[in-house]
Amino acid sequence: MLAAVAVRQNADDPLSGLELRDVPVPQAQPGWTRVKVKASSLNMHDVWTLRGIGHDPKNIPMILGCDVAGVTEEGREVVVHPIIADADAGRGDETLDPNRALLSERHDGGFAEYIVVPDRCLVDKPPHLSFEEAACLPVAWSTAYRMLFTQARVTAGDRVLVQGAGGGVASAAIAMAAAAGATVYATSRTEAKRQLALELGAHAAFESGARLPERVDAVIETVGEATWAHSLRCLRPGGAIVIAGATSGTAPDADLGRVFYQQLRVLGSTGSTRHETAAMLRLLTTTGLRPRIDRVLPLERIHDAFQAMIGGELHGKIVISVS
């Protein structure tokens, strides 16, 4: 079968390590299921793997692609929950398993004609979503769902700030928080991304660091160092900041005085549980939300897809359609 494989890592020229090659069709071991891939979307995680950031070189070569939707051999249309882990090892939460792995870290991913995954990772695809739409959801949307509703415990009427509106997790958080009845404020450095935030459901969008009309109950933070001080200042006493990424750096001034005096809650969040992935899909079914797709390309054009993502200025996800 045809697959897009990371064969080496290069920090300066990541795409030099990505090859389209024929590989054996994977065989499912007991407790695992083979899925015919219909669509798989790109994530920056794939680029980090190619750059050698956060990916053990011992796990190269590796088929990339951590967002997958497809069909089992029995004809079941599924979305693949992307966290492969043991919930028992995480005291009931697989995201807390010390040996958890995102699809394509230690197990081959979805940029291929077939993939094998643990049976528990299969979640029914909502009928109203296309395979291309469904393939946009497992990583970014499930991560945002956990941040909003599990960690920050956002409910209707809450006020939420989403930093860095152009990112995948941030965009999903804006859409879901607004659909859940929250008042959503968003920030971005660019006018185009602020406009996108409004289109996604934000009540107002501001330049990064701008003063908000009011303090918020929760901040969704994936930017890190560049926005951390602003995030803390925007929280009401007792509010929560949930962080699932730090694209601008990991070592800001912690401002511990503000944290303890205002009794702020600082919560880390990584990925999602299978239950949260299923709940996110139900939310989309109930609300009619859809992910935004910038373009759909065939597997044979995967290098063009990655080049477009690295170049930026996208208006949604890039999806690889696998025929």
Side-chain angles (χ1 to χ4, degrees), residues 98-292:
N99 292 314
R100 71 182 184 276
L102 185 67
L103 196 63
S104 80
E105 288 181 341
R106 294 199 295 270
H107 306 85
D108 282 326
F111 293 146
E113 295 176 57
Y114 291 92
I115 187 174
V116 293
V117 296
D119 296 344
R120 73 174 305 275
C121 289
L122 301 179
V123 183
D124 290 331
K125 181 183 78 66
H128 71 284
L129 293 175
S130 69
F131 284 105
E132 290 78 14
E133 289 171 329
C136 297
L137 301 173
V139 174
W141 283 68
S142 294
T143 296
Y145 183 97
R146 179 179 177 87
M147 294 176 77
L148 285 167
F149 304 117
T150 301
Q151 304 289 49
R153 302 195 292 271
V154 168
T155 59
D158 282 354
R159 300 152 298 175
V160 178
L161 168 62
V162 180
Q163 298 278 26
V169 172
S171 297
I174 292 168
M176 286 190 289
T183 297
V184 182
Y185 302 119
T187 67
S188 177
R189 291 175 298 174
T190 70
E191 175 59 33
K193 290 179 180 177
R194 292 194 292 272
Q195 182 59 42
L196 174 62
L198 296 174
E199 294 172 6
L200 291 170
H203 293 73
F206 303 90
E207 292 186 9
S208 298
R211 186 181 182 88
L212 301 186
E214 58 184 336
R215 290 195 175 185
V216 299
D217 301 287
V219 177
I220 300 303
E221 176 65 84
T222 57
V223 180
E225 200 166 305
T227 55
W228 186 256
H230 182 246
S231 293
L232 293 180
R233 291 196 305 270
C234 289
L235 275 175
R236 66 161 175 82
I241 178 170
V242 183
I243 181 166
T247 57
S248 67
T250 60
D253 180 357
D255 198 358
L256 294 179
R258 182 183 296 271
V259 170
F260 71 72
Y261 189 73
Q262 298 285 343
Q263 299 186 68
L264 305 181
R265 292 181 292 131
V266 178
L267 304 166
S269 193
T270 297
S272 68
T273 65
R274 184 192 183 281
H275 172 77
E276 289 161 341
T277 295
M280 175 273 296
L281 293 172
R282 291 195 299 271
L283 177 63
L284 266 65
T285 298
T286 301
T287 61
L289 287 175
R290 297 285 198 284
R292 288 193 171 220

